[in-house]
Amino acid sequence: MRPAAVLFDCDGVIVDSEPLTDRIIAANLTRNGLPMEPDLVRALFRGGTMLGVAEAARTHGARIHDGWVDDVYAEIFEALAAGTPLIEGIIGVFDALDAAGIPFAVGSNGPHRKMAVTLGQHPALHLRLQGRIFSREDVARPKPAPDLYLHAANRLRAEPARCVVIEDSATGARAALDAGMACMGYAPHDDGAALAAVGARPFHRMTDLPALLGL
C-alpha cells in the first residue's frame, strides 16, 4: 500500500549538513576542555538536540556556559550559510511524490532558523516546502518522542499508521515508530545496522526510495 504521506528528517536526509556540523561541534568541545573528533560527535549525538549535546558534554567535564547553545549555533549557521548541498537524489524523490499526489513534509530536531539557513539556500525547494517545515520548536518534546511526526501528520491530515518517515538516525527512527509510522532508514555510508536495530528498514541510495515507496 502506498503511503498517505511521507515525512522527512532534514539534516542528513534532505541537506548534507551533518559533516560540517559535526566538525564545528567537535572543535568547540575540544576548545572547551572535552577533546572530541567529528566521528565521535556523530556517534554520540546524531539525531539529538543541541541542548542534549550541552548537557552530556557538561556531564563529561566540558566548560559549557549558559549561552553555549546559542553560541555554537551561531558558529554552525555561519558555516552552513557558506554552502550546504542537497542530498543527491532528494529532488527526484519529491518529484515522484508530487507526481503520485502524495503529500510530504519535514520534521527536524533542529530549530527553524537552521532550516532557513540550509533549505533557504535552495529557493525553489524552500518555496516548495512552504508550510510543511516543522521543528522541535513546534512541539512539547523533541525526538525520540513521537510528538514532531504526529504533529506533521496532523498538519497533512494523514493517518499516522499510513505515513512513512525517512530518517538517518536511530533517535529519529524511534520517534517515527513510537508514532505508529513505518520508517525507512537512509544509510549511505554503512550497512544501516543501527537503524535496523530500532525497527527501521535501511536503504542506501536516495534514488532507490521512490521504488521502495511503491511509486
Side-chain angles (χ1 to χ4, degrees), residues 124-146:
L125 175 59
H126 200 209
L127 181 63
R128 189 176 190 176
L129 292 169
Q130 188 172 8
R132 293 180 287 166
I133 300 173
F134 306 109
S135 161
R136 49 95 172 155
E137 295 172 323
D138 300 322
V139 294
R141 301 177 299 170
K143 307 171 195 176

Side-chain angles (χ1 to χ4, degrees), residues 5-11 13-14 89-90 93-94 97 102-109 115 129 132-134 143 148-149 152 156 164-168 184 203 206 209 213 215:
V6 181
L7 311 177
F8 294 81
D9 180 39
C10 188
D11 295 298
V13 172
I14 297 176
I90 191 64
V93 174
F94 293 155
L97 289 168
I102 297 173
F104 52 92
V106 182
S108 174
N109 258 359
M115 289 184 280
L129 292 169
R132 293 180 287 166
I133 300 173
F134 306 109
K143 307 171 195 176
L148 184 54
Y149 284 131
L156 294 183
V164 175
V165 171
I166 314 303
E167 268 287 352
D168 71 329
M184 304 291 296
F203 70 105
M206 195 59 71
L209 185 56
L213 293 171
L215 307 183

Side-chain angles (χ1 to χ4, degrees), residues 26-36 57 60-64:
N28 183 291
L29 292 177
T30 298
R31 291 196 309 271
N32 283 289
L34 184 62
M36 188 75 63
H60 288 88
R63 298 184 296 273
I64 303 296

Side-chain angles (χ1 to χ4, degrees), residues 21 25 48-55 68-69 72-73 76 136:
T21 300
I25 294 171
T49 65
M50 204 60 69
L51 180 59
V53 174
E55 291 171 347
W68 183 86
V69 170
V72 76
Y73 264 135
I76 290 168
R136 49 95 172 155

